[in-house]
Amino acid sequence: MRSILFLILAGVFSISVVDSSRAAEFLSGQEVIIAADDTWEGDVYIFAQSAKVEGTVKGDLVVYAQSLHVTGTVEGGLIAAGQEILLEGTYGRTCRIACQAAKIGAGTQMKRDLVAACYSLEIEKGTAIDGDVIYAGFQAMLGGTIKEDVWAAVNRAEVTGKIERELSITTDSNQQQGPPPNQFWQEMKLVNIPVVSPGLTIHEDATIGGKLTYHSPTEVTIEDGAKVTGPIEWIEPAKPAQQGPKDKTNYFWDQLKRYVTLLVMGILMVLCCPATCGGSVDQIVQRPIMSLLAGILAVPLSLIAIGVVAAMIGLIPMAFGWLTLDGLAVAGSFIAAFAMVLYMGSLGYFFVFGAAAVTSITLGRIVFSDHPITSRGRLILSLAFGLVFYVVLTCVPYLRVGVFVAAILFAFGGLFVWMLRGMISSSPEKPVAKAS
């Protein structure tokens, strides 16, 4: 069915190649009318509020209008987009339409295919379509005579006419009968949207000359007198598997393992960098807004720094080469490569584990104490306590992404502000001149 939907979209929105030997006419305005005694030799392009074609177009007809009504003859193909489209008359090549509501009136002759994407498509009895019908939309009423195949993806459909070959259709699982569609679109003037029964219904006077294949959660309704010559294949969508007690237990153990992993990696960071962890947490608690804004700046800067470090791999050997220190060029490249690996590893570690650890310590710090935490033991205790809240919050589907993003921004921002304040405070003070 994916290939069918691709053909539908490609057919509706493709643009036909215009023959350069024929002149093209462009018509626009509030209302464009091609009278019954008018004949246009080449292609016709119409851009209007409403368009009505009663005459003859020997080339292709391309229309973009709110309403389109064609009763004449189009010897070429039709490409139309709008709100409502009513097609009557004769068409020499494929018709491609996209709209809210479309109706193919009785007596219409289509020599080739009909490709449509609409909310509602109605093909009246007395219509003759010599090619295929490819349709995607909410509902469809298939009447008249369709001499080739029908491929459709809809919510609901009724077959009242004759399909001489195969019908392959997909219907949705929404089986509720809603209010009449015309209540939503009161401005419809050409097309009266019918009320179609949920699911797939083949009425008593309908005929399907080939195979019937339908994807649907419910069985097709075939009334007495309806004829289906070929085999009938019902493809019922698989029901989603319900989560059993074993699955819930596995999910619990997965989250417990994630907690232990984050705890171990957080303890490692606390043991190696207690001052960094404590300082970053202090900045987040004391300056939350500044830390968040700093994180918005620090995250992209840390990613940009990857390119700077990577450039060192080439620049350092190049610089040593300019100094004719060939022996140090190799050493320089090794140093740059080692710095690149070290920086990338540190950055990846902080993204995956460090941000979660800093955020968890912050949560624990808010609960336990308002004073700065300096000892490793207090940091680890805050980490273990706050990590419980962090894991629980990231298990909520709608909060997961937000918690991840907030943790990264606050952690990077707190670290950035702490480093910045450390550099400012460590700068040498200028001596103050004494008054004589």
Side-chain angles (χ1 to χ4, degrees), residues 308-387:
V308 177
V309 177
M312 294 171 59
I313 298 176
L315 293 179
I316 290 180
M318 225 185 217
F320 282 123
W322 289 336
L323 297 175
T324 67
L325 300 176
D326 298 333
L328 293 178
V330 177
S333 63
F334 275 111
I335 294 173
F338 178 75
M340 182 68 181
V341 172
L342 184 63
Y343 178 77
M344 289 288 294
S346 302
L347 188 63
Y349 177 89
F350 200 78
F351 264 107
V352 178
F353 303 109
V358 172
T359 303
S360 300
I361 295 174
T362 304
L363 294 174
R365 155 84 184 273
I366 293 173
V367 173
F368 283 121
S369 174
D370 290 335
H371 301 287
I373 301 175
T374 56
S375 66
R376 289 184 175 89
R378 295 289 299 275
L379 287 172
I380 293 175
L381 181 62
S382 299
L383 169 66
F385 184 80
L387 195 57

